[in-house]
Amino acid sequence: MADGVIKVRGGKPLHGEITVRGAKNFVSKAMVAALLTDETSVLRNVPLIRDVDVVSSLLRAHGAEVDYDHEAGTLTITPGKLHLPDPNEILAVAGSSRIPILFCGPLLHELGEAFIPDLGGCHIGERPVDFHLQVLEEFGARRDEQMYGLHLTAPSGLRAKKVHLPYPSVGATEQTLLAAVRARGITELSGAAVEPEIMDLIAVLQKMGALITVDTDRTIHIEGVQKLHGYTHTALPDRIEAGSWACAALATKGDIFVRGAKQDSMMSFLNVYRKVGGEFEVFDDGIRFWHPGTELHSLPIETDVHPGFMTDWQQPLVVALTQATGVSVMHETVYENRFGFTRALNQMGAHIEVYRECLGSKKCRFGLENFYHSAIIQGPTPLHGANIEVPDLRGGFSHLIAALAAEGESTVSGINIINRGYEHFMQKLRALGADVDKVE
Ligand code: EPU
């Protein structure tokens, strides 16, 4: 049984203001980048979420000093003298995180070896790491499969290579960057992901002394350097969390000011939000999102890599679309298995059917593979309370939004997984007027 149970008495619009701090999917990578130097690095705007704890523990297990002032949001990392700990020590702290695979480049540079535990993460697809391993092997790393993970070595160091990614994977792009910045020679990476979190990681690496150029055609050139320095950097805001609260405002007929949200990384979300009928206003210090008070509109959407509509916005938006008039179509092209959360929504009164076909303007990798990766959402459907268990991080937050929008009481279990990526979410819910109680 998953951890954490809350009762939600829904049907009340969420109103008020909450703050979003640094992006989970950037902060964890910037923490790993700190291992590329022996100098101290300072990361600001760091949220108090479980992924930060996990990566801090992994850094400490390898000998780094990590100090986190969570009120100020300042994380100070001093690698000092690194060592490879016993695999059991890594396994004990890695939890279900997928970040350990990104330790490879920095550790192979510093120590000539790394141990990567079998990876976890949300169950939203197979989530293989073949691209990561291909990149590392091309750079000269060797791997040895062990009982609970992989032992990698690079006896003669890492050599730069021409690398092509068959799909613009965020993680594999970060893997290449972290390995290439200190590799011998020039790396040409084509087919790279260009998410804002990756651009912020490149900004960090440039501050550290790296030489990286990004072309307009998903090609990145990295000129290896021998030594990097510490950095001081303020993390970009979490656009996934901001989008999740925006969808909560829409689904509950509410009005939320998301302090910290930034327009530039949310352009495609804002376009869709406007087309659905959601209202927003951009301020210097955040974005206000609210329900228009009239009908919401249905629409067809496809998730995609940046600059497309990101997959992590899909789940919260689907909840809001249950309240739109007409038939919406959602084609998920990034993960093959990201509609499991719709079962609970149907239990609450939604009308969502999932299909194996590509119901979008383009064929994606999952079309002929029997994955239920398209959904048709018919609305508006009143939602009612239910007993639900959260399946994964984003699906979990979406269940929470559904419970807040639903009439009556819901029991939501497995809620602790939401701490992985949503800082102080219970306090924020209360600040917005939600009627929620922790049961266990
Ligand atoms: N893929 C492969 N082989 C690989 C790597 C990826 O086939 O070696 C496939 C995946 O299976 C998936 C697609 O490529 O179908 C995209 O995966 P990607 O590597 O881009 O994802 P990731 O790096 O594992 C990060 C975020 C995810 C976010 C995706 C897409 C982190 C820690 N996670 O995952 O965030 O959905 O990029 O933007 O940065 C979340 O925050 O809840 C979350 C799942």
Side-chain angles (χ1 to χ4, degrees), residues 24-26 28-29 51 98-99 102 122 124-133 167-174 193 195 197 239-240 304-305 310-312 315 333-336 338 365-366 392-394 420:
K24 156 184 161 297
N25 291 345
F26 160 76
S28 44
K29 326 302 172 57
D51 271 25
R98 298 186 58 75
I99 305 301
L102 294 176
C122 288
I124 50 184
E126 274 295 315
R127 307 193 78 182
V129 289
D130 50 334
F131 305 163
H132 294 250
L133 298 177
Y167 183 78
S169 149
V170 169
T173 300
E174 292 159 343
E195 268 58 11
E197 292 76 16
R239 64 195 173 117
I240 307 177
D304 209 343
V305 293
M310 76 185 305
T311 169
D312 303 280
Q315 291 152 306
T333 75
V334 180
Y335 289 112
E336 68 274 26
R338 214 169 192 181
R365 296 168 295 150
F366 312 133
D392 60 71
L393 176 59
R394 308 297 168 195
R420 275 194 51 213

Side-chain angles (χ1 to χ4, degrees), residues 21 42 60 83 89 103 151 198 267 286 290 326-327 377 418:
R21 294 206 281 182
V42 179
R60 288 191 189 106
H83 67 272
E89 219 181 306
F103 277 64
H151 181 240
I198 293 177
M267 294 284 203
W290 72 99
V327 176
I377 306 125
I418 294 178

Side-chain angles (χ1 to χ4, degrees), residues 247 250-253 276 291 294-298 317-326 328 348-351 377-384 402 405-406:
C247 293
L250 210 52
T252 65
K253 299 196 168 70
V276 174
H291 187 284
T294 50
E295 272 189 0
L296 299 181
H297 318 300
S298 53
L317 186 72
V318 163
V319 181
L321 289 175
T322 65
Q323 304 309 306
T325 305
S328 296
M348 299 172 85
H351 202 268
I377 306 125
Q378 208 161 354
T381 44
L383 301 178
H384 53 78

Side-chain angles (χ1 to χ4, degrees), residues 87-88 90-91 94 100-101 104 114-119 129 133 143-152:
N88 287 321
I90 299 180
L91 287 161
I101 187 110
C104 293
F115 174 79
I116 310 305
D118 293 334
L119 298 179
V129 289
L133 298 177
R143 69 183 141 117
D144 170 34
E145 289 197 19
Q146 297 188 342
M147 177 104 87
Y148 297 110
L150 287 179
H151 181 240
L152 288 111

Side-chain angles (χ1 to χ4, degrees), residues 381-401:
T381 44
L383 301 178
H384 53 78
N387 290 343
I388 45 182
E389 179 158 349
V390 309
D392 60 71
L393 176 59
R394 308 297 168 195
F397 196 81
S398 306
H399 283 179
L400 206 49
I401 299 176

